[in-house]
């Protein structure tokens, strides 16, 4: 498995080997040894999530309060999606920048999204499945969102076939600037301290 740190956010892309044969294929999208080597600590899994989305559904931009935050290890076992990670850590040298990676059921690339980063994706096919390994359980009082259509963020939704399909909650979410004004965004130094705790 290969690991690559993304340029703007510090998220990490993992590329596993895929073994096809006449029966189908075998792949291990998460491998603890490769993860620990890349991050310096194992992934604590407190919850697994599974979502199914129609074409043009956008989910996110979602994040959780830090500490403790919620790290996610995500991959796409069916269909295809564009996964987007946004640096929303106030004080970060790459604040407001984003990285995008295509995840699909051909290459089974995975993405690790550390605590304090925003996460969103666009489903590129009907019945696209996203699988999440989460470091902490869902905590509604600590979960927040940023509007994925915020023009200042200019997220790369160029592959939309039609109008974006959003939840009411995501559509009503504040812009990045509004979330900053409301004091909702994670602090960069607090995130760095959390990363050190995990090592």
């Amino acid at each position: 498995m290969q690991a690559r740190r993304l340029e703007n956010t510090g998220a990490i892309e993992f590329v596993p080997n895929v073994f096809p044969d006449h029966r189908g294929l075998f792949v291990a999208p998460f491998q603890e040894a490769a993860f620990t080597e890349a991050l310096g600590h194992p992934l604590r899994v407190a919850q697994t999530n599974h979502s199914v989305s129609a074409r043009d559904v956008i989910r996110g931009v979602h994040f959780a309060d830090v500490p403790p935050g919620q790290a996610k290890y995500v991959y796409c076992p069916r269909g295809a999606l564009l996964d987007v990670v946004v640096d929303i850590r106030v004080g970060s040298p790459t604040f407001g920048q984003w990285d995008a990676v295509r995840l699909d059921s051909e290459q089974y690339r995975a993405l690790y999204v550390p605590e304090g980063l925003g996460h969103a994706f666009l489903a590129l096919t009907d019945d696209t499945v996203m699988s999440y390994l989460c470091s902490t359980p869902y905590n509604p009082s600590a979960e927040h969102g940023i509007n994925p259509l915020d023009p200042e963020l200019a997220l790369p939704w160029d592959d939309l076939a039609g109008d974006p399909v959003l939840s009411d909650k995501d559509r009503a979410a504040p812009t990045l600037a509004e979330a900053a004004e409301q004091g909702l965004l994670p602090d960069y130094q607090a995130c760095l301290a959390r990363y050190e705790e995990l090592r």
Side-chain angles (χ1 to χ4, degrees), residues 36-163:
T36 302
E37 181 179 339
L39 272 291
H41 63 83
L43 176 63
R44 177 183 183 270
V45 178
Q47 180 173 313
T48 62
N49 296 340
H50 180 96
S51 68
V52 181
S53 300
R55 169 101 200 213
D56 291 338
V57 165
I58 298 175
R59 294 182 188 260
V61 177
H62 299 150
F63 64 98
D65 290 338
V66 179
Q70 186 185 66
K72 298 173 183 172
Y73 188 95
V74 298
Y75 68 96
C76 177
R78 185 173 73 216
L81 58 91
L82 184 70
D83 202 85
V84 178
V85 183
V86 185
D87 191 344
I88 58 169
R89 301 167 298 183
V90 174
S92 168
T94 56
F95 178 78
Q97 296 182 36
W98 49 264
D99 289 299
V101 175
R102 180 186 168 96
L103 304 181
D104 59 38
S105 55
E106 293 179 14
Q107 295 185 319
Y108 291 89
R109 294 173 187 267
L111 198 59
Y112 175 69
V113 182
E115 295 87 349
L117 296 179
H119 179 249
F121 71 86
L122 165 65
L124 301 175
T125 67
D126 282 330
D127 295 321
T128 287
V129 173
M130 170 73 94
S131 183
Y132 315 67
L133 306 179
C134 302
S135 65
T136 56
Y138 176 64
N139 178 359
S141 64
E143 297 284 331
H144 306 285
I146 294 166
N147 191 306
L149 304 180
D150 177 356
E152 293 297 315
L153 276 180
L155 298 180
W157 308 132
D158 301 336
D159 289 324
L160 280 163
D163 292 331

